[in-house]
Amino acid sequence: MTVLWCSISAHGFGHAAQLMPILNELDGVVDDLHVILRTKVPADFFQRHLQEVSWELQDVQQDVGCVQRGPLDIDVVRTWEAYTEFHTDWKSRVEKEAQAIRLARASLVISNISPLAIAGAFQAKCPVVGVASLSWDRVLEPYVQADVPGHHVILEIIRNSYALADSLIRLHPGIEMPAFRSIVDVGPSALVRKPNGYDLRKSLEVGDQELIVLIAFGGVPLNHLPLEQMAAMSGFHFLVSGLPSSISYARVHRVENLEMPFGEISQQVDIIMTKPGYGTVIAAVQDKTALVYVRRKNFIDEQSLVDYTHRYGRGAELSRDDFESGNWEATLREVLAVEFPSEPPPSPGTGDVVRQLKPYLAC
């Protein structure tokens, strides 16, 4: 058996989504591959996205990411509190991770994008490669307070750990990550789309003249939606995850009631409303789905994803005020009038990632 140790941040589902096509393709070229998923991402995510890969889930926190107040706001104070707690007795935490890697007899550690996994692999003398489009030191940089020494200490621990990696495979569009000593750039990571087995409009009993909008803000639940305004918006139907079953509007539908894979739902809608997150942006451009985005204005990779949307897809920005007040209709109609760009998006980088990783896993 060839064991691949895969450390995945549980800050939303985007980090896990980046790795799914890579793991599926690796399974086709590495004999007797077994993947250890070291993460707090729930098992049902991997059940939906991994194909014939042999895998097991180890429910162990790998990093902090950010503590959120909903999908659009970082709680800076609580984030630093969580980092301080996580990095207390850091050496002992790294040793435990190294011991687990040794016991698993891993041939390679992949990190997206945990400093702990990289430091643990280095201590276990196991090859380790980062595969990601961002890093936590860059996310934290804007929130460092000069008069709080602990912030600088934590940032240095993260950067020093990243520097121990054999290399970083940077997924496009990726940010600058100078903490890594060696960087290989590849195309974007996108989940493989299968032919649709369901008819969304038929399931919703919605005619062709109606527009279907998916509200998809990632793995962090929305605190509030302007449901009354949505329900009153003639010509639109809205799909939302996580709504209480008691809520009932003719134009607002619970995703959970559809009994359809989320990937098929997102392929068949007319518009996706979201924050600029990696997985959603890459998939929308790939599927040629119009994207209305609400900026967070507090996350390091946001501008690169907005630029990617406008260069290769159809996008329009909805202001935070308009989003919260339900003043959506003008922007929803505006984005459908945007012409498709003539420049095709970059080819997926999955094959290039697999070629980089395969030598580590050759028996």
Side-chain angles (χ1 to χ4, degrees):
M1 186 189 309
T2 302
V3 177
L4 173 61
W5 182 280
C6 199
S7 166
I8 306 173
S9 171
H11 182 252
F13 296 145
H15 300 271
Q18 286 181 337
L19 295 180
M20 294 304 96
I22 295 165
L23 295 180
N24 283 326
E25 189 161 330
L26 265 177
D27 186 59
V29 299
V30 177
D31 293 336
D32 203 18
L33 180 67
H34 181 71
V35 179
I36 295 175
L37 300 167
R38 188 88 158 174
T39 183
K40 301 292 285 187
V41 174
D44 63 350
F45 179 89
F46 303 108
Q47 291 164 353
R48 292 196 304 270
H49 294 297
L50 289 175
Q51 297 167 3
E52 299 179 3
V53 180
S54 168
W55 60 275
E56 65 179 273
L57 179 63
Q58 295 186 359
D59 185 12
V60 179
Q61 184 181 5
Q62 293 297 283
D63 52 29
V64 174
C66 294
V67 179
Q68 303 274 158
R69 293 192 303 266
L72 297 175
D73 295 300
I74 295 173
D75 188 326
V76 175
V77 172
R78 289 179 61 206
T79 293
W80 280 118
E81 289 174 350
Y83 270 94
T84 300
E85 180 180 353
F86 190 76
H87 287 82
T88 299
D89 203 6
W90 175 253
K91 290 183 179 179
S92 175
R93 191 182 287 270
V94 171
E95 175 53 42
K96 289 179 181 177
E97 205 71 9
Q99 183 178 4
I101 292 168
R102 285 192 292 263
L103 287 173
R105 297 184 178 180
S107 296
L108 173 67
V109 170
I110 292 177
S111 177
N112 187 329
I113 187 67
S114 163
L116 173 64
I118 294 172
F122 182 82
Q123 187 161 320
K125 295 182 170 53
C126 179
V128 55
V129 175
V131 180
S133 58
L134 59 77
S135 60
W136 292 125
D137 62 319
R138 295 298 318 282
V139 172
L140 287 174
E141 280 174 0
Y143 306 110
V144 171
Q145 294 176 261
D147 58 345
V148 182
H151 291 184
H152 296 281
V153 171
I154 289 169
L155 209 61
E156 283 306 301
I157 289 173
I158 294 171
R159 289 170 174 162
N160 292 339
S161 298
Y162 284 154
L164 300 174
D166 292 31
S167 66
L168 167 72
I169 301 175
R170 180 166 52 193
L171 303 170
H172 183 75
I175 64 169
E176 293 296 320
M177 291 179 267
F180 290 88
R181 293 178 293 112
S182 173
I183 297 178
V184 178
D185 285 309
V186 299
S189 175
L191 292 169
V192 176
R193 296 308 202 190
K194 298 179 181 179
N196 289 323
Y198 301 82
D199 188 325
L200 178 60
R201 289 186 177 275
K202 184 176 180 180
S203 296
L204 293 173
E205 299 181 352
V206 170
D208 291 342
Q209 73 281 4
E210 299 278 302
L211 297 169
I212 303 176
V213 182
L214 175 63
I215 312 299
F217 279 76
V220 181
L222 282 161
N223 298 327
H224 171 74
L225 278 172
L227 294 171
E228 296 290 342
Q229 292 87 342
M230 294 161 63
M233 209 175 302
S234 179
F236 292 89
H237 283 261
F238 299 93
L239 304 180
V240 186
S241 295
L243 284 179
S245 57
S246 59
I247 291 178
S248 177
Y249 294 96
R251 295 188 174 277
V252 182
H253 311 267
R254 296 177 74 244
V255 167
E256 292 81 0
N257 292 345
L258 289 173
E259 297 182 354
M260 291 176 61
F262 188 84
E264 293 201 23
I265 294 172
S266 66
Q267 281 181 277
Q268 295 185 50
V269 300
D270 298 290
I271 302 168
I272 297 174
M273 183 180 289
T274 187
K275 61 178 172 58
Y278 188 96
T280 305
V281 165
I282 299 301
V285 169
Q286 176 187 3
D287 297 336
K288 297 184 177 181
T289 305
L291 199 69
V292 169
Y293 57 87
V294 183
R295 282 184 180 262
R296 291 176 283 182
K297 298 183 179 179
N298 59 4
F299 216 76
I300 190 67
D301 67 340
E302 180 171 84
Q303 189 59 52
S304 63
L305 291 168
V306 168
D307 293 343
Y308 187 93
T309 298
H310 288 285
R311 181 171 180 176
Y312 302 114
R314 293 185 298 160
E317 181 178 354
L318 181 68
S319 74
R320 181 74 176 267
D321 287 344
D322 283 345
F323 171 68
E324 292 179 347
S325 66
N327 185 22
W328 296 4
E329 185 168 355
T331 306
L332 291 173
R333 295 196 182 279
E334 172 193 335
V335 76
L336 292 175
V338 175
E339 294 185 3
F340 286 99
S342 58
E343 184 178 5
S347 299
T350 307
D352 291 329
V353 177
V354 169
R355 281 187 284 275
Q356 291 289 325
L357 298 179
K358 187 179 176 183
Y360 293 101
L361 300 168
C363 296

